[in-house]
Amino acid sequence: MKDPARPPAFWGLAALLVAELAAAAAVAIVLLVDLVAAEPSSLATALALTVLVLIAVAWMAVTIVGLLRGQAWVRASAIVWQVLQFAIGLGALQGSFAQPAWGWPIVAVSVLTFALLFVPSVVRATQGRGSREG
């Protein structure tokens, strides 16, 4: 057997990262549709936001592929993403346009995913430093 069985915490982390990817992809689709169907008040801002979200989708997809390959760099990538996502969630909870209905889930998923990144079995499962060629 080439790779040892992956622990449940690893698969929990993978599931949360896939859920985050799906959410980011959904936001990207909405932004793309709005860009085409609606007239933005600032085309430059709408384009920049759409491009940033598409970059985030690509980032998450690459991170998930690296996770499934057991590579060590994914922990750093996922930690950075969780910090950014946590900040987005906190921002959604504040101000006159606060949206706690989606702010709290973002914060909760960020904290849970962040914690899973430091579970010893997940750290062991993601210690690969190069390609997995035999």
PDB file of all heavy atoms in Angstrom, residues 9 15 39 47 55 66 70 73 93 96 98 111:
ATOM      1  N   ALA A   9     -10.376  13.150  10.173  1.00  0.00           N
ATOM      2  CA  ALA A   9     -10.165  14.602  10.228  1.00  0.00           C
ATOM      3  C   ALA A   9      -9.680  15.137   8.887  1.00  0.00           C
ATOM      4  O   ALA A   9     -10.044  16.246   8.471  1.00  0.00           O
ATOM      5  CB  ALA A   9      -9.173  14.951  11.334  1.00  0.00           C
ATOM      6  N   ALA A  15     -13.688  18.025   2.995  1.00  0.00           N
ATOM      7  CA  ALA A  15     -15.103  18.358   2.764  1.00  0.00           C
ATOM      8  C   ALA A  15     -15.367  19.842   2.998  1.00  0.00           C
ATOM      9  O   ALA A  15     -16.085  20.490   2.219  1.00  0.00           O
ATOM     10  CB  ALA A  15     -15.990  17.502   3.663  1.00  0.00           C
ATOM     11  N   GLU A  39     -26.196  46.514 -15.196  1.00  0.00           N
ATOM     12  CA  GLU A  39     -25.242  47.583 -15.480  1.00  0.00           C
ATOM     13  C   GLU A  39     -24.629  48.044 -14.163  1.00  0.00           C
ATOM     14  O   GLU A  39     -25.297  48.654 -13.333  1.00  0.00           O
ATOM     15  CB  GLU A  39     -25.938  48.762 -16.161  1.00  0.00           C
ATOM     16  CG  GLU A  39     -24.977  49.845 -16.569  1.00  0.00           C
ATOM     17  CD  GLU A  39     -25.672  50.970 -17.317  1.00  0.00           C
ATOM     18  OE1 GLU A  39     -26.730  50.731 -17.905  1.00  0.00           O
ATOM     19  OE2 GLU A  39     -25.134  52.079 -17.287  1.00  0.00           O
ATOM     20  N   LEU A  47     -15.473  44.498 -12.491  1.00  0.00           N
ATOM     21  CA  LEU A  47     -14.496  43.603 -13.128  1.00  0.00           C
ATOM     22  C   LEU A  47     -13.428  43.158 -12.132  1.00  0.00           C
ATOM     23  O   LEU A  47     -13.066  41.978 -12.087  1.00  0.00           O
ATOM     24  CB  LEU A  47     -13.832  44.295 -14.317  1.00  0.00           C
ATOM     25  CG  LEU A  47     -14.647  44.364 -15.599  1.00  0.00           C
ATOM     26  CD1 LEU A  47     -13.967  45.277 -16.617  1.00  0.00           C
ATOM     27  CD2 LEU A  47     -14.863  42.981 -16.176  1.00  0.00           C
ATOM     28  N   ILE A  55      -9.917  34.325  -9.056  1.00  0.00           N
ATOM     29  CA  ILE A  55      -8.596  33.930  -8.553  1.00  0.00           C
ATOM     30  C   ILE A  55      -8.746  33.104  -7.281  1.00  0.00           C
ATOM     31  O   ILE A  55      -8.057  32.094  -7.097  1.00  0.00           O
ATOM     32  CB  ILE A  55      -7.701  35.170  -8.328  1.00  0.00           C
ATOM     33  CG1 ILE A  55      -7.304  35.781  -9.669  1.00  0.00           C
ATOM     34  CG2 ILE A  55      -6.464  34.818  -7.504  1.00  0.00           C
ATOM     35  CD1 ILE A  55      -6.642  37.143  -9.564  1.00  0.00           C
ATOM     36  N   GLY A  66      -3.782  19.819  -4.029  1.00  0.00           N
ATOM     37  CA  GLY A  66      -2.590  19.596  -3.211  1.00  0.00           C
ATOM     38  C   GLY A  66      -2.899  18.816  -1.947  1.00  0.00           C
ATOM     39  O   GLY A  66      -2.121  17.959  -1.522  1.00  0.00           O
ATOM     40  N   GLY A  70      -1.568  15.118  -0.536  1.00  0.00           N
ATOM     41  CA  GLY A  70      -0.865  15.049   0.736  1.00  0.00           C
ATOM     42  C   GLY A  70       0.316  15.993   0.853  1.00  0.00           C
ATOM     43  O   GLY A  70       1.248  15.735   1.603  1.00  0.00           O
ATOM     44  N   TRP A  73       2.457  22.127   1.664  1.00  0.00           N
ATOM     45  CA  TRP A  73       2.174  23.535   1.414  1.00  0.00           C
ATOM     46  C   TRP A  73       0.705  23.876   1.540  1.00  0.00           C
ATOM     47  O   TRP A  73       0.351  25.043   1.743  1.00  0.00           O
ATOM     48  CB  TRP A  73       2.699  23.970   0.049  1.00  0.00           C
ATOM     49  CG  TRP A  73       2.060  23.278  -1.116  1.00  0.00           C
ATOM     50  CD1 TRP A  73       2.535  22.170  -1.758  1.00  0.00           C
ATOM     51  CD2 TRP A  73       0.837  23.617  -1.764  1.00  0.00           C
ATOM     52  NE1 TRP A  73       1.686  21.801  -2.764  1.00  0.00           N
ATOM     53  CE2 TRP A  73       0.630  22.676  -2.787  1.00  0.00           C
ATOM     54  CE3 TRP A  73      -0.099  24.619  -1.581  1.00  0.00           C
ATOM     55  CZ2 TRP A  73      -0.480  22.708  -3.631  1.00  0.00           C
ATOM     56  CZ3 TRP A  73      -1.218  24.651  -2.415  1.00  0.00           C
ATOM     57  CH2 TRP A  73      -1.390  23.708  -3.423  1.00  0.00           C
ATOM     58  N   LEU A  93     -20.699  40.808   9.759  1.00  0.00           N
ATOM     59  CA  LEU A  93     -21.421  40.930  11.029  1.00  0.00           C
ATOM     60  C   LEU A  93     -21.472  42.358  11.548  1.00  0.00           C
ATOM     61  O   LEU A  93     -22.098  42.619  12.569  1.00  0.00           O
ATOM     62  CB  LEU A  93     -20.762  40.029  12.083  1.00  0.00           C
ATOM     63  CG  LEU A  93     -20.820  38.539  11.802  1.00  0.00           C
ATOM     64  CD1 LEU A  93     -19.988  37.780  12.823  1.00  0.00           C
ATOM     65  CD2 LEU A  93     -22.246  38.050  11.795  1.00  0.00           C
ATOM     66  N   SER A  96     -23.954  49.004   9.266  1.00  0.00           N
ATOM     67  CA  SER A  96     -25.388  49.186   9.051  1.00  0.00           C
ATOM     68  C   SER A  96     -25.966  48.175   8.059  1.00  0.00           C
ATOM     69  O   SER A  96     -27.175  47.996   8.000  1.00  0.00           O
ATOM     70  CB  SER A  96     -25.656  50.608   8.572  1.00  0.00           C
ATOM     71  OG  SER A  96     -24.944  50.874   7.394  1.00  0.00           O
ATOM     72  N   ALA A  98     -25.098  44.887   8.057  1.00  0.00           N
ATOM     73  CA  ALA A  98     -24.668  43.593   8.598  1.00  0.00           C
ATOM     74  C   ALA A  98     -25.579  42.474   8.097  1.00  0.00           C
ATOM     75  O   ALA A  98     -26.791  42.645   7.957  1.00  0.00           O
ATOM     76  CB  ALA A  98     -24.677  43.629  10.119  1.00  0.00           C
ATOM     77  N   VAL A 111     -13.308  28.976  11.445  1.00  0.00           N
ATOM     78  CA  VAL A 111     -12.711  28.534  12.710  1.00  0.00           C
ATOM     79  C   VAL A 111     -12.558  27.016  12.724  1.00  0.00           C
ATOM     80  O   VAL A 111     -11.507  26.486  13.109  1.00  0.00           O
ATOM     81  CB  VAL A 111     -13.550  29.032  13.907  1.00  0.00           C
ATOM     82  CG1 VAL A 111     -13.104  28.384  15.203  1.00  0.00           C
ATOM     83  CG2 VAL A 111     -13.454  30.548  14.008  1.00  0.00           C
TER      84      VAL A 111
END
